[in-house]
Amino acid sequence: METRQAHNLKIIGSSPIFAIYRRLRKHHMSRAITTHINEIKYRLFYSFMSFCLTFSVVFIFSDVFFQYAVYPLVDLGTKRLIFTQITEAFTASLWLSFGISFILNVPFWLYQILCFFAPGWTSEEIYYALIWSVVWLVCFVVGLLGAYWFFPIVWKFFLGYGISQNGINLEAELRVLPYLTSLIWLTLFLSILSQIPFWASVACHFNMVESKTLVDNRRIIWFMSILVGALISPPDIFSQFFIAFCLAVIYELIILISFVFEVYR
């Protein structure tokens, strides 16, 4: 009996209809893969052209953006930046235009990613994806605004090491390229730091973190916040405790998010 069934399956597998079916299925899979590859090419092309267009506009008006970039130094009495190489000012303009263009294109790149995956999602998955995207963008913008507010504190800390006493003057002569480089990297760092509530929400949504564990480790995190505040802040007690307070608030926000997700479930 089993031999007869195997023989029948062999006949069916070798039949012309089954061969046509296999060929059509293989052709369909190949066409689907080609469609996805073309879609990726189009999305990458749109993203690249958007970045190039934004970079061109920002580079043309780089003087305006440069004024906003050096504004934190004006309140500290530093109104002069120098460059020691003939191409340094040009390189600084390119670097500033690149950083601003990258930041401005982040929402558009996120939109392209959603458009690529959305056809394979259900309406509920699209709804949650939109919510998570909005939360991510809000955290990103808050990080950018917080970075611009945090700049004067950082520059005041480093400029405070100047000496002007007993006939000795140790004054800062800031070069434009290192200043803009540190400015952009600090902005990206604080923007990533502001993503902590978002990733905490994702972890709580997928049951990767429990509120009980976060509450049990609260004292350790508070101590680490004070330690980090003492290490990275200017040498005054107000700045140290302010940074420690901000880190502690972020951790308490993570605990609150975990409670909300547990109640929601």
Side-chain angles (χ1 to χ4, degrees):
M1 185 68 181
E2 294 180 357
T3 304
R4 181 177 297 178
Q5 291 179 353
H7 179 69
N8 292 335
L9 291 175
K10 184 177 180 180
I11 294 176
I12 294 174
S14 60
S15 63
I17 298 177
F18 191 76
I20 294 174
Y21 170 75
R22 285 187 301 178
R23 183 174 298 179
L24 290 175
R25 183 177 179 182
K26 183 178 180 180
H27 176 72
H28 177 73
M29 293 178 61
S30 177
R31 187 175 181 181
I33 294 175
T34 304
T35 303
H36 287 305
I37 293 176
N38 292 332
E39 182 75 12
I40 293 174
K41 291 180 180 179
Y42 293 145
R43 299 296 176 185
L44 291 177
F45 176 75
Y46 296 152
S47 301
F48 178 74
M49 292 302 297
S50 174
F51 179 81
C52 291
L53 180 62
T54 308
F55 180 85
S56 301
V57 174
V58 174
F59 184 76
I60 294 173
F61 298 97
S62 59
D63 294 341
V64 178
F65 291 99
F66 182 78
Q67 293 178 4
Y68 284 100
V70 300
Y71 183 77
L73 294 177
V74 175
D75 294 337
L76 300 177
T78 302
K79 300 181 180 180
R80 179 171 177 264
L81 294 175
I82 65 172
F83 60 94
T84 58
Q85 298 178 2
I86 192 168
T87 60
E88 186 172 352
F90 176 73
T91 305
S93 298
L94 290 177
W95 184 241
L96 180 64
S97 302
F98 179 85
I100 295 176
S101 301
F102 179 85
I103 292 172
L104 293 178
N105 277 276
V106 165
F108 181 74
W109 293 340
L110 179 62
Y111 170 76
Q112 294 296 325
I113 294 174
L114 292 177
C115 289
F116 177 77
F117 289 103
W121 290 342
T122 63
S123 58
E124 184 178 0
E125 291 173 341
I126 294 176
Y127 173 76
Y128 280 110
L130 291 176
I131 292 179
W132 288 117
S133 300
V134 171
V135 173
W136 187 88
L137 285 177
V138 169
C139 293
F140 185 76
V141 173
V142 169
L144 294 178
L145 297 177
Y148 196 76
W149 170 83
F150 190 66
F151 291 154
I153 299 177
V154 177
W155 307 145
K156 184 179 179 180
F157 168 70
F158 289 109
L159 294 175
Y161 282 93
I163 299 175
S164 179
Q165 59 183 358
N166 298 327
I168 300 176
N169 293 325
L170 180 61
E171 299 178 353
E173 289 286 348
L174 300 180
R175 290 173 52 197
V176 59
L177 184 58
Y179 168 75
L180 292 178
T181 302
S182 59
L183 182 70
I184 293 174
W185 281 115
L186 182 61
T187 302
L188 293 177
F189 172 76
L190 293 178
S191 299
I192 295 174
L193 186 64
S194 66
Q195 302 298 317
I196 293 178
F198 169 77
W199 294 113
S201 301
V202 174
C204 295
H205 179 73
F206 292 101
N207 296 326
M208 299 173 62
V209 178
E210 295 182 356
S211 59
K212 184 178 182 303
T213 304
L214 297 175
V215 172
D216 293 339
N217 296 323
R218 174 182 285 166
R219 290 181 296 180
I220 299 176
I221 298 300
W222 284 6
F223 175 76
M224 295 299 296
S225 300
I226 297 175
L227 183 61
V228 171
L231 292 175
I232 68 174
S233 66
D236 60 275
I237 193 67
F238 175 77
S239 300
Q240 295 174 3
F241 276 100
F242 179 76
I243 294 177
F245 174 77
C246 292
L247 296 176
V249 168
I250 292 176
Y251 188 76
E252 295 299 324
L253 179 61
I254 295 174
I255 295 177
L256 178 61
I257 292 173
S258 64
F259 274 123
V260 171
F261 273 92
E262 289 179 359
V263 172
Y264 178 77
R265 286 195 294 265

